[in-house]
């Protein structure tokens, strides 16, 4: 059994902050975020532990060490420590002098055990383990495992011994693998509690809870406009960012789909910042718009998932999303990772322009850090979406409504549903309902309303009342308690409460699950819907 070096997701990516983190007794590698690490660290420091890094992981190491110093054996110490951790994470733990013992724990972030001949491996998925073995056991939420060379005992979150099947993975031949999911899209939805913190960690100093944004080579304090362009889902991520940047940084944002912006000869400000968002980094229209902006003197920053892509290569500054390969044609984890980077960009511009206080920044960052845990919780209740999907699969048309940052989410939800289930779906700003779309509403039209309980909630409720009065079947996605909803709804997906700023990242997940499960009920080709390509390199 071996632990390999893993670069830090907390603190700067220096050798000191790189995994594994260790004391004389314990060594740990970790994926994800330990949300309560500051409290744990303060407590352990008060008890005499000395920390050497800026990472959240070190708190886990000292916590286990502390339990061992209090007389517990390694397995019991790890178990006692696990109970004290909050967040979404995966851990691998080894102990000095115990060369036939490794503990694995999964809470929110994926984790897989690999079975070799007389040896065991641990990795985040089958791809990581492909060079060593193709026999994999996926841990389930809350599981932890005691691993020896000869095999592993797996326990659930209540400490009950459980059996998890071992499966033959095809990762070694195909390089990518669906894990224990039916489709890549499902796997990618479920990876979000892992890839969002990986992405955030690139732009946030977790210890101070402040944004640590790379230099874009432009003075963010003096820009008077931001131009954003992208296509499809990536465009909707940009549209959310328009709300964020304008609200937080008080700078106007011009945004357009790349296929329009490339031809409309838009006037651009002198020395402006132009931001391009693209999962593949190869989308022809986005690339053409980038070149137009570059030729017109803009500083080019691109948010891409493929760092070697053409868009990345032609940009002045590259802001990577750390979503990992996205195979399903319908973009899911790339979208929320794009939002993660854009959220940090909004804060970075706000800070540079002095429109946001240090306290506000810390509040926003803490809201983002908490998200993976809430997403993991939502994913544990996936069954709710299956029942909704059964009903939706009978519909011919579906409307999505939202206001503020929930408006782009309504657009994105509708896009996701139509592209993989082939059900006609449209997203509207809820306030636009009475300017036309309300004519479509009757008892056969499900209306999905994205409405976190924010300052626009009451307005959206009155739009819902208009829908309900016409017999429309409302599926509400909201954190508002049922007693606050003064109109009849067919289904209510009760969301966890998160900071208002962070809601788009969380509320994207139910729209993905609705689309996914509806497509599964319809029996369509979820990962490769008809007529669509993952990378659109032609206009
Ligand atoms: C929809 C989807 C597409 C892409 C669009 C842009 O689920 O994936 O709308 O978002 O084709 O692709 P990228 O991000 O590669 O530029």
């Amino acid at each position: 059994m071996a632990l390999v070096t893993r670069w830090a997701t907390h603190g700067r990516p220096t050798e000191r902050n790189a995994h594994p983190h260790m004391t004389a007794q314990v060594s740990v590698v970790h994926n994800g975020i330990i949300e309560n690490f500051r409290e744990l660290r303060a407590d352990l420091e008060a008890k005499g532990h000395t920390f050497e890094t800026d990472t959240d992981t070190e708190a886990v190491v000292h916590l286990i060490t502390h339990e061992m110093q209090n007389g517990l054996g390694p397995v019991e110490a790890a178990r006692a420590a696990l109970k004290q951790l909050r967040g979404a994470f995966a851990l691998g733990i080894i102990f000095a002098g115990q060369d036939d013992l490794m503990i694995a724990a999964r809470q929110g972030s994926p984790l897989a055990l690999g079975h070799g001949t007389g040896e065991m491996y641990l990795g985040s998925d089958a791809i990581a383990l492909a060079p060593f073995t193709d026999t994999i056991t996926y841990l389930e939420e809350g599981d932890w495992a005691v691993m020896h060379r000869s095999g592993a005992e797996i326990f659930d979150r209540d400490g009950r011994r459980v059996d998890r099947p071992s499966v033959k993975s095809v990762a070694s031949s195909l390089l990518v693998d669906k894990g224990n999911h039916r489709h890549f899209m499902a796997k990618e939805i479920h990876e979000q509690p892992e890839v969002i913190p990986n992405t955030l960690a690139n732009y946030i100093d977790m210890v101070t809870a402040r944004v640590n944004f790379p230099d874009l080579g432009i003075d963010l304090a003096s820009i008077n406009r931001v131009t954003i362009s992208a296509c499809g889902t990536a465009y909707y991520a940009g549209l959310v960012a328009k709300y964020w940047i304008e609200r937080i940084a008080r700078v106007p944002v011009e945004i357009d789909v790349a296929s329009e912006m490339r031809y409309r000869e838009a006037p651009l400000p002198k020395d402006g910042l132009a931001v391009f968002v693209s999962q593949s980094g190869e989308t022809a229209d986005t690339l053409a718009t980038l070149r137009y902006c570059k030729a017109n003197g803009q500083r080019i920053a691109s948010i891409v998932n493929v760092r070697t892509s053409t868009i990345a290569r032609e940009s002045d500054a590259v802001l990577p999303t750390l979503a990992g390969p996205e195979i399903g044609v319908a973009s899911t984890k790339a979208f929320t990772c794009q939002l993660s980077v854009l959220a940090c960009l909004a804060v970075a511009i706000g800070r540079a322009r002095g429109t946001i206080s240090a306290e506000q920044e810390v509040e926003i960052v803490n809201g983002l850090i908490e998200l993976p845990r809430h997403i993991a919780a939502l994913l544990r209740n996936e069954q709710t979406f299956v029942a909704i999907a059964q009903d939706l699969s009978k519909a011919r048309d579906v409307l999505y409504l939202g206001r503020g940052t929930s408006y782009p989410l309504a657009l994105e939800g509708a896009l996701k549903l139509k592209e993989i289930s082939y059900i006609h779906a449209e997203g509207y700003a809820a306030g636009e309902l009475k300017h036309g779309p309300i004519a479509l509403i009757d008892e056969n039209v499900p209306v999905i309303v994205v409405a976190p309980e924010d300052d626009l909630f009451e307005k959206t409720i009155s739009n819902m009342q208009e829908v309900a009065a016409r017999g429309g079947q409302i599926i509400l996605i909201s954190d508002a308690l049922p007693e606050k909803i003064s109109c009849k709804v067919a289904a209510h997906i009760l969301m966890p409460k998160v900071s208002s700023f962070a809601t788009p990242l969380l509320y994207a997940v139910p729209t993905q699950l609705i689309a996914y499960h509806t497509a599964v009920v319809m029996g369509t080709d979820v990962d490769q819907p008809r007529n669509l390509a993952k990378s659109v390199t032609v206009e």
Side-chain angles (χ1 to χ4, degrees), residues 230-235 277-283 286 311 326 328-332 334 338 412 415-416 419 532-536:
C231 298
T233 292
Y235 166 73
V277 189
S278 175
Q279 187 284 128
S280 63
E282 301 294 348
T283 301
T286 310
I311 288 180
E326 192 179 65
V329 162
S331 189
T332 52
Q338 288 159 354
E412 165 61 5
L415 174 63
K416 216 89 302 174
E419 72 179 324
L532 289 172
K534 185 69 187 157
S535 189
V536 185

Side-chain angles (χ1 to χ4, degrees), residues 23-34:
T23 59
Q25 290 103 319
V26 180
S27 182
V28 170
V29 285
H30 153 225
N31 217 356
I33 292 182
I34 309 295

